[in-house]
Amino acid sequence: LYGLFLWLAPDARAKPKVTLADLKAMLPVAFCFMGAHSASVFAMGMGAVSFAQIVKAAEPAFAAVIATFVYKKKVSKAKWLCLPIVIGGVILASVKELDFAVSALVAACIANLFAAVRGNENKKLMEADGIRDRIGSVGNQFAITSMMAFILSIPLVALREGSRFGEFVQMAKTTPALWNNMVLSALWFYGYNECSTMTLKKTSAVTQSVANTAKRVIVIVGVALVLGESLSPLKLIGCGIGIGGVFLYSIIDSLVKPKED
């Protein structure tokens, strides 16, 4: 709805001029977007949120493997060596509340796989001549794939939660906080993912995944501050390592680049 509003509002965002063939080309991105988000939600519902965050912290490793062996994108050895630092920092920041669950592990790994493929497919669309011009902007690309992902998610939602739809409708009628939380959550989620797509345009699928992992550190600290939870030394150390690892990842190639005579 927000994407449609931007197209309809005066001087907000130019409408895309995509064809049916363009929409077919965008289908893999939309499907992976739906799969990544759905699997992430399932992972958090099947086990502790902190455990899901730990497994999803491995997303850069999935992205690096997929980019290297499927999409033939080069990732330097130095950047490969930075990934364990980033992932380890998030694990340290979350490990106190670790609650292992096999189903959550599987769902989070599936989410990582979908996210890795989605990042690379998104990058392909941004670099494809013709379709890139017809889409018009990164914002339009994200809006279209989000709408397609929503449509693709309807059968899954009906299968998993269809029996509870009546309960949801009743709650929506009697609980104003539900609407407030849904609307605010949707707007923040949309804004974050659009910014993430813009980051992808300027970097690579692996770099975007690393930044996404750093976001988890910020979420851990932010939630602790908002909810008044204590920040243990282990959590603070983990946050510092995670953020430092992302910074090192961003500059490592410059640091180890051979000096020119």
Side-chain angles (χ1 to χ4, degrees), residues 39-136:
S40 296
V41 173
F42 292 153
M44 289 185 283
M46 293 170 177
V49 173
S50 57
F51 178 70
Q53 293 292 338
I54 288 173
V55 180
K56 284 186 64 57
E59 182 185 321
F62 281 75
V65 170
I66 294 292
T68 301
F69 296 103
V70 178
Y71 293 91
K72 308 303 180 184
K73 301 286 186 179
K74 183 176 176 57
V75 179
S76 69
K77 291 181 180 179
K79 286 191 172 182
W80 273 101
L81 293 174
C82 290
L83 297 182
I85 301 175
V86 179
I87 296 169
V90 179
I91 291 174
L92 277 179
S94 310
V95 74
K96 186 177 178 181
E97 304 166 13
L98 181 61
D99 181 16
F100 183 82
V102 175
S103 56
L105 172 64
V106 173
C109 286
I110 292 173
N112 284 344
L113 184 60
F114 273 124
V117 176
R118 176 199 170 201
N120 284 282
E121 288 293 331
N122 240 336
K123 191 68 174 178
K124 278 176 60 178
L125 284 177
M126 294 173 184
E127 296 172 347
D129 293 332
I131 185 172
R132 176 183 58 192
D133 300 324
R134 291 189 292 274
I135 290 174

Side-chain angles (χ1 to χ4, degrees), residues 1 8 14 21 37-39 46 51 71 73 98 112 120 126 140 154 163 170 172 197 203 205 207 217 233 253 258:
L1 292 177
L8 296 174
H37 182 57
S38 299
M46 293 170 177
F51 178 70
Y71 293 91
K73 301 286 186 179
L98 181 61
N112 284 344
N120 284 282
M126 294 173 184
N140 281 346
I154 292 175
S163 60
Q170 185 61 33
T197 307
T203 57
T207 301
V217 175
D253 282 344

Side-chain angles (χ1 to χ4, degrees), residues 206-222:
V206 180
T207 301
Q208 183 209 32
S209 292
V210 171
N212 195 35
T213 296
K215 171 210 70 178
R216 304 186 194 288
V217 175
I218 298 171
V219 167
I220 291 168
V221 176

Side-chain angles (χ1 to χ4, degrees), residues 138-227:
V138 174
N140 281 346
Q141 180 171 321
F142 175 70
I144 296 170
T145 53
S146 294
M147 294 172 193
M148 294 172 68
F150 167 73
I151 295 171
L152 291 172
S153 70
I154 292 175
L156 182 61
V157 172
L159 180 65
R160 293 280 303 181
E161 304 289 341
S163 60
R164 303 185 63 184
F165 185 71
E167 179 184 343
F168 168 77
V169 172
Q170 185 61 33
M171 186 178 294
K173 290 179 180 178
T174 58
T175 313
L178 177 64
W179 284 104
N180 293 335
N181 290 339
M182 281 198 305
V183 171
L184 290 174
S185 177
L187 288 174
W188 281 108
F189 181 77
Y190 188 97
Y192 146 67
N193 275 285
E194 183 168 322
C195 289
S196 177
T197 307
M198 291 177 178
T199 301
L200 177 64
K201 180 177 176 61
K202 297 181 179 296
T203 57
S204 68
V206 180
T207 301
Q208 183 209 32
S209 292
V210 171
N212 195 35
T213 296
K215 171 210 70 178
R216 304 186 194 288
V217 175
I218 298 171
V219 167
I220 291 168
V221 176
V223 168
L225 293 175
V226 171
L227 299 181

